[in-house]
Amino acid sequence: LASYSQGSVNEIFAKMKYIYRSVPDSIRPRLLQDNRVSISLSNGSRISVGSLQGRGTLKRGATYRLILLSEWSSVSDEKSKAQMTAVQAALQENGELIIESTALGCNHFYTEWNQAVNHESLFKPTFIGWIDDKVLHAQEQKDFSKRYAILHDGKHLTMDELDETEQLLIQQGATIVQLEWRRLHIINDGLKQFNQEYPSDPLTAFVSSSQGVFNADNIQQQYNIAKLNYKPLKTVTGLPQPLKAYLNNQLLIWDIPHVGNKYYISCDSSENIGKDYTDIEIYNQDAIQCAQFRTNVLPAYACAEVIYHLACWYNKGIVGVELASTGVLIIDKLLHEYHYYNIAKSKQKDQFGKIKKKTGLSCNAVTKPLIIGDMQDWFDHNIITIKSLITLQEM
C-alpha cells in the first residue's frame, strides 16, 4: 500500500488494520508481526506500506501480488514515471496493480486515465460518482429531499422542472431525490464547488479541478451532449476501399460528404512511434465535425494516403497540414505522388525578409496564440461543433 505522503500512508494503514480486525475470528489469519510499516500473517501474507515521495523509488527489488497506489494525482509528474517503472517491475506475473485517486487537474493521472479509457494501456478504468453510490450519501440525500419539499410548499422536484444538465443526469441514472440533494448543495456551495467535491462523471472530476485554456463548464456540457447524441457511424456507404480497414478504429465518421458542401481537412502530424499522435480532422462549412482519423503507429506515407482518400471523398476539400514533424513529408507525398493541390498555404519570411507563400501551415510563437484565441471564441460562442470525445478530453 503506497500513497503520496507519509500522513496519507498512515491513514490507509489504519483503515487496513480496521478491516483486518473486522474479519470474524474463525477465518481471520493470526497476526505474527505488527509495526508502523508492515504486518505479517500466519497464512504467509505480508502487507507493507510506503510513501511515493521519498528520494528512491518504491520497494525496489521486492516482489508483490497486489499493489495499491492511493491519491496518485498528488505524486509529481516527474516522480510518477520513476515510481511506475519500479512498481510494475515489482509485480508478480499474476499480480495486480490498482491506482486510485481524486482528480487534481489535467496532470499525469489524467493522461493515464484517458489512455485506459481509449484502450491504449493495460489498465481498466473505473469511476464511481455520486449517481452510482447509493450508500455513502443516502441518508443525507433523504434529509435534503425532505428539506427541499419544506422549502417548496411541500412539493418535490418534477421531471418538467429539470434543466438540461439535470435531464442528462437522469439519463445517467440519477434519481429525483439525488437531484434535490444536488440543488440544495449548489445553493449553499456553488456549482463549481459541488462538481469538485461530488463529480458525476470522470470529465467533471478533472475539469472542475483544473485551470485550462477552455471554459470547463462548456467542455463538460459539450462532452455530455456528444456522448449521448453523437455516435460514430458503424457502417458507411461509399467509403473509399483503402479507408475501410480503419473504420471504427483509427477512423471515426459522424457524417458522410454531401453534394455541394465544402469541407476542411486539418492534419497535425507526429513521428508515430507509439507516443504522440497524427490527428486528422474534417469539418464542414458550418464548422460541424464530420470525421476524425487518429494514429500513433502509421508512417507518414500511410497518413498521406489516408488524407488523400478522405480529401477526395469529402468533395476535394481544402487540406491544411502543419509544417512540423512529418508534415513536410506528408505535403510532399500529396503534391508529387497523389497530385493533390488543394492544400492551404501560409506566408513566411525568407532570410532576406521577403514574404513568400509556402505550402502548409506554420504554427509558431505568433500564429499559435491567434489559433488558440480563435478556437476559444468559436467554442465559447457555439460556432464550432466538436463531436469527438477524445478531442474534448484533450481540451
Side-chain angles (χ1 to χ4, degrees):
L1 309 175
S3 191
Y4 70 100
S5 70
Q6 192 58 50
S8 179
V9 168
N10 294 341
E11 289 294 328
I12 294 172
F13 204 28
K15 289 179 183 178
M16 194 280 300
K17 288 182 178 180
Y18 176 82
I19 293 170
Y20 168 78
R21 290 192 296 270
S22 72
V23 176
D25 292 339
S26 59
I27 60 172
R28 182 173 60 200
R30 186 164 48 88
L31 197 62
L32 299 181
Q33 183 185 30
D34 182 4
N35 56 46
R36 290 185 301 128
V37 295
S38 69
I39 64 172
S40 297
L41 306 175
S42 59
N43 63 358
S45 297
R46 182 170 62 90
I47 302 172
S48 60
V49 297
S51 170
L52 292 164
Q53 292 287 39
R55 294 183 63 186
T57 50
L58 174 69
K59 306 294 183 183
R60 187 174 290 276
T63 304
Y64 295 100
R65 170 68 181 83
L66 172 66
I67 297 176
L68 169 66
L69 305 182
S70 182
E71 294 300 342
W72 186 240
S73 271
S74 297
V75 180
S76 66
D77 287 7
E78 183 180 354
K79 191 70 176 176
S80 68
K81 294 178 181 178
Q83 293 287 20
M84 183 62 75
T85 301
V87 165
Q88 290 180 327
L91 274 178
Q92 298 177 10
E93 288 187 6
N94 63 337
E96 293 179 82
L97 171 58
I98 299 173
I99 296 174
E100 59 87 10
S101 184
T102 305
L104 294 176
C106 298
N107 55 15
H108 65 92
F109 179 56
Y110 181 60
T111 300
E112 292 158 0
W113 171 266
N114 282 336
Q115 288 173 342
V117 170
N118 298 326
H119 308 293
E120 296 168 359
S121 74
L122 295 176
F123 286 101
K124 178 182 177 181
T126 302
F127 176 84
I128 303 172
W130 60 267
I131 294 176
D132 309 300
D133 181 12
K134 308 300 183 185
V135 178
L136 184 61
H137 307 294
Q139 188 57 51
E140 183 183 81
Q141 288 168 354
K142 290 177 183 178
D143 295 340
F144 274 47
S145 178
K146 292 176 183 177
R147 182 64 179 165
Y148 184 92
I150 292 172
L151 294 173
H152 293 81
D153 300 323
K155 297 179 181 178
H156 285 283
L157 188 63
T158 65
M159 294 293 290
D160 295 335
E161 297 174 308
L162 303 183
D163 60 28
E164 186 177 350
T165 299
E166 289 169 333
Q167 290 173 6
L168 289 170
L169 293 173
I170 284 286
Q171 293 182 44
Q172 293 176 33
T175 65
I176 292 295
V177 171
Q178 287 179 317
L179 292 182
E180 291 173 335
W181 167 78
R182 176 180 178 271
R183 280 196 175 193
L184 291 185
H185 260 298
I186 291 173
I187 290 172
N188 288 334
D189 308 323
L191 178 61
K192 183 176 179 63
Q193 187 66 28
F194 177 83
N195 285 338
Q196 188 168 332
E197 295 298 324
Y198 307 104
S200 56
D201 54 67
L203 193 66
T204 301
F206 285 108
V207 299
S208 62
S209 58
S210 176
Q211 295 296 325
V213 173
F214 300 97
N215 184 285
D217 294 333
N218 289 353
I219 294 174
Q220 180 63 55
Q221 184 179 34
Q222 185 63 27
Y223 185 90
N224 289 337
I225 292 171
K227 192 172 183 179
L228 291 172
N229 301 313
Y230 301 142
K231 305 293 184 182
L233 300 174
K234 295 297 182 183
T235 57
V236 178
T237 304
L239 184 68
Q241 184 64 36
L243 299 177
K244 290 182 178 179
Y246 304 119
L247 185 63
N248 295 318
N249 189 4
Q250 292 106 320
L251 176 61
L252 301 178
I253 296 175
W254 292 274
D255 191 22
I256 62 173
H258 299 278
V259 176
N261 279 7
K262 290 183 178 180
Y263 294 94
Y264 302 87
I265 300 99
S266 69
C267 175
D268 173 20
S269 64
S270 77
E271 299 293 337
N272 289 353
I273 53 176
K275 295 182 180 180
D276 198 9
Y277 282 79
T278 289
D279 196 291
I280 300 165
E281 306 278 346
I282 302 180
Y283 284 78
N284 65 14
Q285 60 204 22
D286 298 315
I288 298 173
Q289 188 174 22
C290 300
Q292 178 184 54
F293 183 89
R294 191 168 179 268
T295 180
N296 64 350
V297 293
L298 289 183
Y301 68 84
C303 292
E305 183 184 14
V306 169
I307 293 174
Y308 170 71
H309 289 293
L310 282 172
C312 290
W313 191 43
Y314 279 94
N315 301 346
K316 296 191 175 179
I318 297 175
V319 176
V321 181
E322 185 187 352
L323 287 166
S325 189
T326 56
V328 176
L329 298 174
I330 290 173
I331 291 172
D332 184 72
K333 205 79 170 173
L334 288 172
L335 289 174
H336 300 113
E337 181 169 332
Y338 296 107
H339 305 289
Y340 193 89
Y341 304 113
N342 199 13
I343 305 175
K345 295 183 178 182
S346 57
K347 293 179 180 179
Q348 296 185 18
K349 288 183 180 179
D350 61 16
Q351 64 267 37
F352 303 107
K354 292 183 179 180
I355 295 177
K356 294 184 177 182
K357 280 191 174 183
K358 189 172 183 179
T359 303
L361 303 178
S362 176
C363 187
N364 52 45
V366 176
T367 61
K368 188 173 182 178
L370 296 174
I371 293 169
I372 293 175
D374 283 344
M375 184 66 176
Q376 281 180 304
D377 184 14
W378 301 341
F379 188 70
D380 287 348
H381 292 93
N382 296 318
I383 295 172
I384 188 169
T385 301
I386 300 171
K387 298 182 178 181
S388 168
L389 299 181
I390 293 174
T391 301
L392 290 165
Q393 287 169 359
E394 291 185 346
M395 288 171 64

